[in-house]
Amino acid sequence: MDGAKAPAISDVWREVRARLKSEYGPAVFSAELARLRVVDNGPSAVILVAPTAFSKSWVEDHAGARIRALWASFDSARRMVEVLSDRDLATSAAPQAEEADEAEPARQDTAAHAGNVTAMPRDRSGRRSGERFTFDTFMVGPSNELAAVAAKSVINASPSPFNPAFFYGDYGVGKTHLLNAIAHSVELGGQRRKALYLTAEEFLSGFVSAMRARDTMAFKDRVRNVDVLLIDDVHFIAGKPKTEDEFLHTILALMADDRQVILASHSAPGDLPVCDPRLASLLRGGFACQMMKPDLDLRRKILDCKVAQAEKHYPDLDVPEAVRDFLAARITTSARELEGVLNNVIARTALMGRDVTLETVEEALRELAITGERKVTVDDIQRTVAQHFNVKVADIVSKRRNKAIVTPRHIAMYLAKTLTTRSLPDIGRRFGGRDHSTVIHAVKKVVTLIENDDAIAALIDQLVRELGG
């Protein structure tokens, strides 16, 4: 930290809580996030403590990555954030000490120089701890059947038939679950193979930390000394030249040894704003599989699976068939939102000693302001605007500044601000890592155009109708 005094943990947590409340809304914040408390875990780490194991799982699945990103932005000490339940905290001291004694020297070096790589609580494969993200709990339907079959085909294949394998789709369609299921199966397979799951943010922060420490070998050893490397949210690496270069050479090194690389992103390989043409060619040359939003039957299967998991924590929980049918039909946006609604229903019923009925479910939906209508996403907006102006999404999020690209980019930013609940910094990140001030400028520019140009006003109105906003 160059001698600078680290901010107080309570001050950082206050800032993070305020942002979480703004981004997730008062209802979800009060039900799921307000009950977290922060515990000092030494100079390089903090622990967020959830009251129950169920609450811990919800936080990890729905807010874990965002909490860590916010914490990193407010905390100059770059402390790692771990989420535990009260029960975990009470029993974690001894097992952690044992694991530290057993850790390999190379792994210890990695923790010292690239600690941000493993910010989430994980087992030794790097995947999320617990058994929630396995193929047993990955429900399959027409929207993800090819992805499931392809994922299973690479687990024990040597050499792999698909390398790299690239899964893409909107947020909440199951990409993270699928990658963790692959890691779980590889580790438990009979071939003694090693898998490592990382988010792109963890790959990026670990690489940056290693460069600052002037010791990148420990980082390289960790990400390249595996049989299967899985990187989630690859779009966060695109557009960062130095990280792209390391990412490219990591993939090439693994593929040269017939080791498997599996990637996931919300954008197709050809739509990523990649700077390095070699990396762009490599990503496009692999197997790409789109994962779509679940249909009604698959949503019902997912809901049944989530209810079964919840019943392990709440043995008296009873979710009637009529309620399950209602939720599966009503929540059409994503499996993640479906699970979020179920969690909120449980919080308002099982925790309060009330029965789960259609009336209590509708009450929860009203409090969450969920209507079941299609939610417009930034990805939807970028694709729609790109199609209208006959440009690529990659152009809109690129650094290019010619008028043919700038105008669609400004309009897409304006629509993202007016039709979604995303924050300005988040919108900026989704447009090639731009600052929030750039989004503000774009919004003001389009507002002026709407006021002074009837053609632009009509175009915006048309795009809003197409997006269903």
Side-chain angles (χ1 to χ4, degrees), residues 3 48 119 149 156 192 206 244 257 272 274 283-284 288 293 365 374 379 400 420 425 443:
L48 294 184
V149 172
N156 294 314
R192 300 178 63 84
E244 278 190 11
D257 288 338
L272 291 174
V274 176
L283 296 179
R284 291 172 184 151
K293 292 181 180 179
L365 293 179
R374 177 177 178 272
D379 291 338
R400 295 174 58 188
T420 77
V443 171

Side-chain angles (χ1 to χ4, degrees), residues 32-265:
E32 304 294 347
L33 300 172
R35 297 181 294 168
L36 295 173
R37 72 178 195 276
V38 66
V39 174
D40 193 339
N41 194 32
S44 61
V46 295
I47 297 172
L48 294 184
V49 184
T52 66
F54 189 81
S55 178
K56 167 194 167 184
S57 296
W58 189 96
V59 171
E60 278 290 8
D61 294 347
H62 297 83
R66 186 56 183 150
I67 289 174
R68 291 180 177 89
L70 288 172
W71 193 284
S73 67
F74 291 118
D75 184 6
S76 60
R78 304 288 292 181
R79 300 175 181 93
M80 290 192 297
V81 178
E82 185 173 8
V83 181
L84 299 177
S85 67
D86 272 318
R87 184 175 180 179
D88 292 336
L89 189 64
T91 60
S92 62
Q96 286 177 351
E98 292 173 7
E99 185 169 332
D101 292 338
E102 295 171 359
E104 300 170 2
R107 294 283 296 274
Q108 293 172 341
D109 290 342
T110 303
H113 298 300
N116 285 330
V117 173
T118 52
M120 300 178 80
R122 304 178 187 280
D123 61 19
R124 296 191 178 195
S125 71
R127 60 188 169 79
R128 297 184 183 187
S129 57
E131 301 299 318
R132 298 182 66 247
F133 294 96
T134 68
F135 280 113
D136 288 339
T137 57
F138 185 80
M139 300 295 102
V140 178
S143 61
N144 62 9
E145 184 176 17
L146 175 59
V149 172
K152 291 178 180 179
S153 72
V154 304
I155 292 173
N156 294 314
S158 183
S160 168
F162 311 119
N163 210 7
F166 196 109
F167 299 98
Y168 67 98
D170 210 345
Y171 294 101
V173 296
K175 301 184 299 295
T176 296
H177 190 148
L178 186 65
L179 263 61
N180 277 276
I182 295 171
H184 178 267
S185 293
V186 169
E187 289 284 319
L188 293 183
Q191 300 185 21
R192 300 178 63 84
R193 302 174 77 207
K194 182 178 179 182
L196 176 64
Y197 167 90
L198 297 173
T199 65
E201 184 179 4
E202 290 165 351
F203 184 96
L204 172 62
S205 61
F207 177 60
V208 170
S209 297
M211 286 198 302
R212 287 174 178 170
R214 297 185 178 180
D215 182 8
T216 59
M217 289 309 300
F219 176 81
K220 293 177 185 290
D221 288 343
R222 180 165 191 238
V223 298
R224 299 184 186 185
N225 189 29
V226 295
D227 298 293
V228 181
L229 178 65
L230 307 102
I231 305 292
D232 206 351
D233 293 331
V234 171
H235 46 277
F236 285 118
I237 293 176
K240 301 174 177 63
K242 289 185 178 179
T243 308
E244 278 190 11
D245 187 64
E246 177 63 26
F247 186 54
L248 170 66
H249 286 95
T250 294
I251 296 176
L252 291 174
L254 289 167
M255 291 176 60
D257 288 338
D258 286 332
R259 304 189 184 196
Q260 180 68 54
V261 178
I262 301 175
L263 310 172
S265 171

Side-chain angles (χ1 to χ4, degrees), residues 237-352:
I237 293 176
K240 301 174 177 63
K242 289 185 178 179
T243 308
E244 278 190 11
D245 187 64
E246 177 63 26
F247 186 54
L248 170 66
H249 286 95
T250 294
I251 296 176
L252 291 174
L254 289 167
M255 291 176 60
D257 288 338
D258 286 332
R259 304 189 184 196
Q260 180 68 54
V261 178
I262 301 175
L263 310 172
S265 171
H266 68 61
S267 298
D271 288 336
L272 291 174
V274 176
C275 299
D276 191 326
R278 297 171 301 167
L279 179 58
S281 177
L282 181 65
L283 296 179
R284 291 172 184 151
F287 167 74
C289 179
Q290 185 175 15
M291 298 173 65
M292 308 294 288
K293 292 181 180 179
D295 61 14
L296 177 60
D297 289 340
L298 182 53
R299 292 197 300 272
R300 176 57 198 266
K301 290 168 64 176
I302 292 170
L303 192 62
D304 288 342
C305 179
K306 298 302 180 184
V307 170
Q309 291 176 333
E311 287 172 344
K312 295 178 181 179
H313 301 286
Y314 304 97
D316 295 330
L317 177 65
D318 179 24
V319 182
E321 295 292 311
V323 169
R324 301 185 190 201
D325 289 339
F326 174 78
L327 286 175
R330 187 75 173 269
I331 311 303
T332 61
T333 47
S334 71
R336 183 173 296 161
E337 183 163 344
L338 182 61
E339 182 181 4
V341 171
L342 176 63
N343 289 336
N344 279 277
V345 168
I346 292 171
R348 288 163 171 79
T349 54
L351 295 180
M352 303 299 292

